[in-house]
Amino acid sequence: MKSPTTLFTRLQRLVPAHVKPKFTSGEELIKWNQEQGRQRSESIVRENRAMRMQRVMGRSGIRELHMNCSFDNYRVENEGQQRALALARQYASEFEGNIASFVFSGKPGTGKNHLAAAIGNDLILRGKSVLIVTVADLMSNMKGTFSGTSDTTEERLLHDLSTVDLLVIDEIGMQTESRYEKVIINQIVDRRSSSKRPTGMLSNLDHAGMNQLLGERVMDRMRLGNSLWVRFDWESYRSRVRGDEY
Ligand SMILES: Nc1ncnc2c1ncn2[C@@H]1O[C@H](COP(=O)(O)OP(=O)(O)OP(=O)(O)O)[C@@H](O)[C@H]1O
């Protein structure tokens, strides 16, 4: 095998005079090569994560309306919004190695999805896998696995949902209560908490309503660690959304 210096000297001869190389010695060439390899493998990890999300729910982690939601474009006009924004930002920054889950509960259109997506977008940029899914989507995907034509099984889907770095379940309490729904949410939260993976929940229900709907067992698991419960109780922002702001 050629030494880095010999290789560098040979490369120098081949490179046209006007081209400025990214390295000026054999050692720098090796470093540059290693850095390129690291960047490539990071991008493969990101691509694999996105493909996995695509496989789990037929789409990547975050829906179109919320793809550009960030902490910076969440407008603060009252104390509640200020607190919610600060807590969401802190949750994202302390995510690494944290088992704490979060619940954003309150009125429609107040930014629960916006801030959950901001957390998700921030984590995706840091190489984490994130899925935000409504209970309805979750159930139709679960039920889809029963058909003979499905290329995944109920167990496989449960496994995938239980192993993404952050799973956010949206619209809890929107459906008519079904026993199957409760069992599935219970299993997912149970598997995730026992493998130290946090779950986010978004709901219009309050504490008592969520306890009643999902049961004490699930809600107790949601309280593991330094968990977060944020009330969104101001007026809806929806009438002000034009669709082209971010
Ligand atoms: N403070 C805010 N600043 C900027 N945009 C906001 C703010 N609050 C909400 N929005 C925008 O308003 C729309 C509705 O917000 P979002 O989807 O987060 O509501 P939600 O609380 O999840 O509602 P629901 O309970 O009905 O699902 C989104 O497009 C979101 O980006």
PDB file of all heavy atoms in Angstrom, residues 26-48:
ATOM      1  N   GLY A  26       0.351  14.708   3.290  1.00  0.00           N
ATOM      2  CA  GLY A  26      -0.188  13.347   3.373  1.00  0.00           C
ATOM      3  C   GLY A  26      -1.104  13.181   4.573  1.00  0.00           C
ATOM      4  O   GLY A  26      -2.175  12.578   4.482  1.00  0.00           O
ATOM      5  N   GLU A  27      -0.689  13.760   5.722  1.00  0.00           N
ATOM      6  CA  GLU A  27      -1.486  13.627   6.951  1.00  0.00           C
ATOM      7  C   GLU A  27      -2.847  14.319   6.795  1.00  0.00           C
ATOM      8  O   GLU A  27      -3.883  13.801   7.190  1.00  0.00           O
ATOM      9  CB  GLU A  27      -0.755  14.239   8.165  1.00  0.00           C
ATOM     10  CG  GLU A  27       0.412  13.430   8.678  1.00  0.00           C
ATOM     11  CD  GLU A  27       1.563  13.378   7.675  1.00  0.00           C
ATOM     12  OE1 GLU A  27       1.781  14.401   6.971  1.00  0.00           O
ATOM     13  OE2 GLU A  27       2.195  12.306   7.561  1.00  0.00           O
ATOM     14  N   GLU A  28      -2.804  15.501   6.164  1.00  0.00           N
ATOM     15  CA  GLU A  28      -4.062  16.224   5.964  1.00  0.00           C
ATOM     16  C   GLU A  28      -4.985  15.450   5.018  1.00  0.00           C
ATOM     17  O   GLU A  28      -6.195  15.443   5.197  1.00  0.00           O
ATOM     18  CB  GLU A  28      -3.783  17.607   5.370  1.00  0.00           C
ATOM     19  CG  GLU A  28      -3.487  18.629   6.444  1.00  0.00           C
ATOM     20  CD  GLU A  28      -3.353  20.030   5.878  1.00  0.00           C
ATOM     21  OE1 GLU A  28      -4.008  20.348   4.859  1.00  0.00           O
ATOM     22  OE2 GLU A  28      -2.559  20.774   6.443  1.00  0.00           O
ATOM     23  N   LEU A  29      -4.377  14.783   4.045  1.00  0.00           N
ATOM     24  CA  LEU A  29      -5.164  13.972   3.103  1.00  0.00           C
ATOM     25  C   LEU A  29      -5.905  12.869   3.858  1.00  0.00           C
ATOM     26  O   LEU A  29      -7.107  12.653   3.654  1.00  0.00           O
ATOM     27  CB  LEU A  29      -4.235  13.364   2.044  1.00  0.00           C
ATOM     28  CG  LEU A  29      -4.802  12.215   1.199  1.00  0.00           C
ATOM     29  CD1 LEU A  29      -5.997  12.666   0.382  1.00  0.00           C
ATOM     30  CD2 LEU A  29      -3.736  11.649   0.261  1.00  0.00           C
ATOM     31  N   ILE A  30      -5.174  12.187   4.779  1.00  0.00           N
ATOM     32  CA  ILE A  30      -5.795  11.118   5.568  1.00  0.00           C
ATOM     33  C   ILE A  30      -6.943  11.688   6.392  1.00  0.00           C
ATOM     34  O   ILE A  30      -8.052  11.155   6.394  1.00  0.00           O
ATOM     35  CB  ILE A  30      -4.743  10.497   6.547  1.00  0.00           C
ATOM     36  CG1 ILE A  30      -3.662   9.796   5.759  1.00  0.00           C
ATOM     37  CG2 ILE A  30      -5.414   9.589   7.555  1.00  0.00           C
ATOM     38  CD1 ILE A  30      -3.910   8.338   5.512  1.00  0.00           C
ATOM     39  N   LYS A  31      -6.687  12.827   7.070  1.00  0.00           N
ATOM     40  CA  LYS A  31      -7.721  13.449   7.916  1.00  0.00           C
ATOM     41  C   LYS A  31      -8.942  13.811   7.082  1.00  0.00           C
ATOM     42  O   LYS A  31     -10.086  13.584   7.474  1.00  0.00           O
ATOM     43  CB  LYS A  31      -7.174  14.734   8.561  1.00  0.00           C
ATOM     44  CG  LYS A  31      -6.534  14.479   9.895  1.00  0.00           C
ATOM     45  CD  LYS A  31      -6.589  15.754  10.723  1.00  0.00           C
ATOM     46  CE  LYS A  31      -5.712  15.600  11.935  1.00  0.00           C
ATOM     47  NZ  LYS A  31      -4.774  16.682  12.108  1.00  0.00           N
ATOM     48  N   TRP A  32      -8.687  14.406   5.916  1.00  0.00           N
ATOM     49  CA  TRP A  32      -9.786  14.833   5.038  1.00  0.00           C
ATOM     50  C   TRP A  32     -10.630  13.619   4.626  1.00  0.00           C
ATOM     51  O   TRP A  32     -11.851  13.651   4.668  1.00  0.00           O
ATOM     52  CB  TRP A  32      -9.194  15.509   3.799  1.00  0.00           C
ATOM     53  CG  TRP A  32     -10.236  15.992   2.828  1.00  0.00           C
ATOM     54  CD1 TRP A  32     -10.988  17.121   2.903  1.00  0.00           C
ATOM     55  CD2 TRP A  32     -10.651  15.326   1.632  1.00  0.00           C
ATOM     56  NE1 TRP A  32     -11.841  17.224   1.840  1.00  0.00           N
ATOM     57  CE2 TRP A  32     -11.664  16.126   1.037  1.00  0.00           C
ATOM     58  CE3 TRP A  32     -10.278  14.142   0.982  1.00  0.00           C
ATOM     59  CZ2 TRP A  32     -12.289  15.776  -0.148  1.00  0.00           C
ATOM     60  CZ3 TRP A  32     -10.914  13.799  -0.211  1.00  0.00           C
ATOM     61  CH2 TRP A  32     -11.905  14.612  -0.761  1.00  0.00           C
ATOM     62  N   ASN A  33      -9.908  12.541   4.301  1.00  0.00           N
ATOM     63  CA  ASN A  33     -10.573  11.316   3.892  1.00  0.00           C
ATOM     64  C   ASN A  33     -11.449  10.756   5.013  1.00  0.00           C
ATOM     65  O   ASN A  33     -12.593  10.357   4.791  1.00  0.00           O
ATOM     66  CB  ASN A  33      -9.487  10.287   3.534  1.00  0.00           C
ATOM     67  CG  ASN A  33      -9.931   9.444   2.379  1.00  0.00           C
ATOM     68  OD1 ASN A  33     -11.065   9.559   1.940  1.00  0.00           O
ATOM     69  ND2 ASN A  33      -9.039   8.595   1.901  1.00  0.00           N
ATOM     70  N   GLN A  34     -10.881  10.774   6.248  1.00  0.00           N
ATOM     71  CA  GLN A  34     -11.641  10.259   7.387  1.00  0.00           C
ATOM     72  C   GLN A  34     -12.879  11.119   7.644  1.00  0.00           C
ATOM     73  O   GLN A  34     -13.968  10.608   7.912  1.00  0.00           O
ATOM     74  CB  GLN A  34     -10.769  10.238   8.649  1.00  0.00           C
ATOM     75  CG  GLN A  34      -9.786   9.075   8.632  1.00  0.00           C
ATOM     76  CD  GLN A  34      -8.748   9.177   9.737  1.00  0.00           C
ATOM     77  OE1 GLN A  34      -8.549  10.248  10.312  1.00  0.00           O
ATOM     78  NE2 GLN A  34      -8.082   8.069  10.018  1.00  0.00           N
ATOM     79  N   GLU A  35     -12.732  12.443   7.525  1.00  0.00           N
ATOM     80  CA  GLU A  35     -13.852  13.356   7.751  1.00  0.00           C
ATOM     81  C   GLU A  35     -14.958  13.116   6.715  1.00  0.00           C
ATOM     82  O   GLU A  35     -16.145  13.083   7.040  1.00  0.00           O
ATOM     83  CB  GLU A  35     -13.335  14.807   7.697  1.00  0.00           C
ATOM     84  CG  GLU A  35     -14.384  15.899   7.854  1.00  0.00           C
ATOM     85  CD  GLU A  35     -15.220  15.811   9.126  1.00  0.00           C
ATOM     86  OE1 GLU A  35     -14.801  15.126  10.087  1.00  0.00           O
ATOM     87  OE2 GLU A  35     -16.325  16.401   9.142  1.00  0.00           O
ATOM     88  N   GLN A  36     -14.524  12.912   5.430  1.00  0.00           N
ATOM     89  CA  GLN A  36     -15.507  12.624   4.376  1.00  0.00           C
ATOM     90  C   GLN A  36     -16.275  11.346   4.711  1.00  0.00           C
ATOM     91  O   GLN A  36     -17.484  11.281   4.562  1.00  0.00           O
ATOM     92  CB  GLN A  36     -14.807  12.436   3.013  1.00  0.00           C
ATOM     93  CG  GLN A  36     -14.167  13.694   2.468  1.00  0.00           C
ATOM     94  CD  GLN A  36     -15.173  14.817   2.294  1.00  0.00           C
ATOM     95  OE1 GLN A  36     -16.162  14.653   1.610  1.00  0.00           O
ATOM     96  NE2 GLN A  36     -14.930  15.941   2.941  1.00  0.00           N
ATOM     97  N   GLY A  37     -15.531  10.319   5.177  1.00  0.00           N
ATOM     98  CA  GLY A  37     -16.147   9.040   5.547  1.00  0.00           C
ATOM     99  C   GLY A  37     -17.145   9.232   6.676  1.00  0.00           C
ATOM    100  O   GLY A  37     -18.253   8.698   6.642  1.00  0.00           O
ATOM    101  N   ARG A  38     -16.761  10.057   7.680  1.00  0.00           N
ATOM    102  CA  ARG A  38     -17.647  10.286   8.830  1.00  0.00           C
ATOM    103  C   ARG A  38     -18.930  10.977   8.367  1.00  0.00           C
ATOM    104  O   ARG A  38     -20.027  10.573   8.705  1.00  0.00           O
ATOM    105  CB  ARG A  38     -16.919  11.141   9.874  1.00  0.00           C
ATOM    106  CG  ARG A  38     -17.583  11.158  11.252  1.00  0.00           C
ATOM    107  CD  ARG A  38     -16.940  12.186  12.166  1.00  0.00           C
ATOM    108  NE  ARG A  38     -16.974  13.530  11.624  1.00  0.00           N
ATOM    109  CZ  ARG A  38     -18.049  14.302  11.555  1.00  0.00           C
ATOM    110  NH1 ARG A  38     -19.187  13.870  12.029  1.00  0.00           N
ATOM    111  NH2 ARG A  38     -18.004  15.514  11.023  1.00  0.00           N
ATOM    112  N   GLN A  39     -18.753  12.025   7.519  1.00  0.00           N
ATOM    113  CA  GLN A  39     -19.937  12.760   7.047  1.00  0.00           C
ATOM    114  C   GLN A  39     -20.861  11.852   6.240  1.00  0.00           C
ATOM    115  O   GLN A  39     -22.072  11.889   6.374  1.00  0.00           O
ATOM    116  CB  GLN A  39     -19.512  13.939   6.177  1.00  0.00           C
ATOM    117  CG  GLN A  39     -18.962  15.080   7.011  1.00  0.00           C
ATOM    118  CD  GLN A  39     -18.528  16.248   6.145  1.00  0.00           C
ATOM    119  OE1 GLN A  39     -18.799  16.302   4.957  1.00  0.00           O
ATOM    120  NE2 GLN A  39     -17.820  17.187   6.754  1.00  0.00           N
ATOM    121  N   ARG A  40     -20.244  11.011   5.405  1.00  0.00           N
ATOM    122  CA  ARG A  40     -21.040  10.103   4.569  1.00  0.00           C
ATOM    123  C   ARG A  40     -21.823   9.112   5.451  1.00  0.00           C
ATOM    124  O   ARG A  40     -22.996   8.864   5.233  1.00  0.00           O
ATOM    125  CB  ARG A  40     -20.112   9.364   3.599  1.00  0.00           C
ATOM    126  CG  ARG A  40     -20.785   8.371   2.702  1.00  0.00           C
ATOM    127  CD  ARG A  40     -21.524   9.042   1.536  1.00  0.00           C
ATOM    128  NE  ARG A  40     -22.420   8.110   0.877  1.00  0.00           N
ATOM    129  CZ  ARG A  40     -23.730   8.268   0.776  1.00  0.00           C
ATOM    130  NH1 ARG A  40     -24.329   9.329   1.277  1.00  0.00           N
ATOM    131  NH2 ARG A  40     -24.478   7.373   0.169  1.00  0.00           N
ATOM    132  N   SER A  41     -21.125   8.561   6.478  1.00  0.00           N
ATOM    133  CA  SER A  41     -21.844   7.575   7.285  1.00  0.00           C
ATOM    134  C   SER A  41     -22.938   8.244   8.106  1.00  0.00           C
ATOM    135  O   SER A  41     -24.001   7.679   8.296  1.00  0.00           O
ATOM    136  CB  SER A  41     -20.908   6.728   8.152  1.00  0.00           C
ATOM    137  OG  SER A  41     -20.230   7.541   9.040  1.00  0.00           O
ATOM    138  N   GLU A  42     -22.731   9.506   8.541  1.00  0.00           N
ATOM    139  CA  GLU A  42     -23.809  10.216   9.244  1.00  0.00           C
ATOM    140  C   GLU A  42     -25.006  10.415   8.316  1.00  0.00           C
ATOM    141  O   GLU A  42     -26.149  10.261   8.729  1.00  0.00           O
ATOM    142  CB  GLU A  42     -23.325  11.592   9.710  1.00  0.00           C
ATOM    143  CG  GLU A  42     -22.611  11.515  11.038  1.00  0.00           C
ATOM    144  CD  GLU A  42     -22.164  12.882  11.542  1.00  0.00           C
ATOM    145  OE1 GLU A  42     -22.560  13.923  10.956  1.00  0.00           O
ATOM    146  OE2 GLU A  42     -21.407  12.897  12.498  1.00  0.00           O
ATOM    147  N   SER A  43     -24.713  10.742   7.042  1.00  0.00           N
ATOM    148  CA  SER A  43     -25.846  10.980   6.152  1.00  0.00           C
ATOM    149  C   SER A  43     -26.559   9.668   5.819  1.00  0.00           C
ATOM    150  O   SER A  43     -27.778   9.645   5.648  1.00  0.00           O
ATOM    151  CB  SER A  43     -25.423  11.778   4.919  1.00  0.00           C
ATOM    152  OG  SER A  43     -25.217  10.943   3.829  1.00  0.00           O
ATOM    153  N   ILE A  44     -25.799   8.554   5.797  1.00  0.00           N
ATOM    154  CA  ILE A  44     -26.460   7.251   5.575  1.00  0.00           C
ATOM    155  C   ILE A  44     -27.374   6.932   6.759  1.00  0.00           C
ATOM    156  O   ILE A  44     -28.510   6.486   6.586  1.00  0.00           O
ATOM    157  CB  ILE A  44     -25.416   6.127   5.353  1.00  0.00           C
ATOM    158  CG1 ILE A  44     -24.743   6.340   3.995  1.00  0.00           C
ATOM    159  CG2 ILE A  44     -26.060   4.739   5.415  1.00  0.00           C
ATOM    160  CD1 ILE A  44     -23.596   5.423   3.707  1.00  0.00           C
ATOM    161  N   VAL A  45     -26.889   7.208   7.987  1.00  0.00           N
ATOM    162  CA  VAL A  45     -27.718   6.958   9.181  1.00  0.00           C
ATOM    163  C   VAL A  45     -29.010   7.773   9.080  1.00  0.00           C
ATOM    164  O   VAL A  45     -30.105   7.271   9.306  1.00  0.00           O
ATOM    165  CB  VAL A  45     -26.943   7.326  10.471  1.00  0.00           C
ATOM    166  CG1 VAL A  45     -27.852   7.338  11.687  1.00  0.00           C
ATOM    167  CG2 VAL A  45     -25.794   6.364  10.694  1.00  0.00           C
ATOM    168  N   ARG A  46     -28.883   9.076   8.680  1.00  0.00           N
ATOM    169  CA  ARG A  46     -30.078   9.928   8.563  1.00  0.00           C
ATOM    170  C   ARG A  46     -31.035   9.388   7.505  1.00  0.00           C
ATOM    171  O   ARG A  46     -32.232   9.290   7.722  1.00  0.00           O
ATOM    172  CB  ARG A  46     -29.663  11.362   8.211  1.00  0.00           C
ATOM    173  CG  ARG A  46     -29.402  12.218   9.439  1.00  0.00           C
ATOM    174  CD  ARG A  46     -29.482  13.689   9.100  1.00  0.00           C
ATOM    175  NE  ARG A  46     -28.531  14.091   8.097  1.00  0.00           N
ATOM    176  CZ  ARG A  46     -27.274  14.442   8.358  1.00  0.00           C
ATOM    177  NH1 ARG A  46     -26.833  14.422   9.598  1.00  0.00           N
ATOM    178  NH2 ARG A  46     -26.448  14.798   7.401  1.00  0.00           N
ATOM    179  N   GLU A  47     -30.448   8.983   6.341  1.00  0.00           N
ATOM    180  CA  GLU A  47     -31.304   8.447   5.272  1.00  0.00           C
ATOM    181  C   GLU A  47     -32.020   7.190   5.740  1.00  0.00           C
ATOM    182  O   GLU A  47     -33.202   7.004   5.484  1.00  0.00           O
ATOM    183  CB  GLU A  47     -30.454   8.091   4.045  1.00  0.00           C
ATOM    184  CG  GLU A  47     -30.229   9.264   3.125  1.00  0.00           C
ATOM    185  CD  GLU A  47     -29.154   8.957   2.096  1.00  0.00           C
ATOM    186  OE1 GLU A  47     -28.990   7.798   1.710  1.00  0.00           O
ATOM    187  OE2 GLU A  47     -28.448   9.912   1.704  1.00  0.00           O
ATOM    188  N   ASN A  48     -31.283   6.309   6.438  1.00  0.00           N
ATOM    189  CA  ASN A  48     -31.892   5.075   6.923  1.00  0.00           C
ATOM    190  C   ASN A  48     -33.033   5.356   7.869  1.00  0.00           C
ATOM    191  O   ASN A  48     -34.063   4.706   7.839  1.00  0.00           O
ATOM    192  CB  ASN A  48     -30.853   4.205   7.650  1.00  0.00           C
ATOM    193  CG  ASN A  48     -29.945   3.516   6.658  1.00  0.00           C
ATOM    194  OD1 ASN A  48     -30.251   3.472   5.468  1.00  0.00           O
ATOM    195  ND2 ASN A  48     -28.834   3.001   7.129  1.00  0.00           N
TER     196      ASN A  48
END
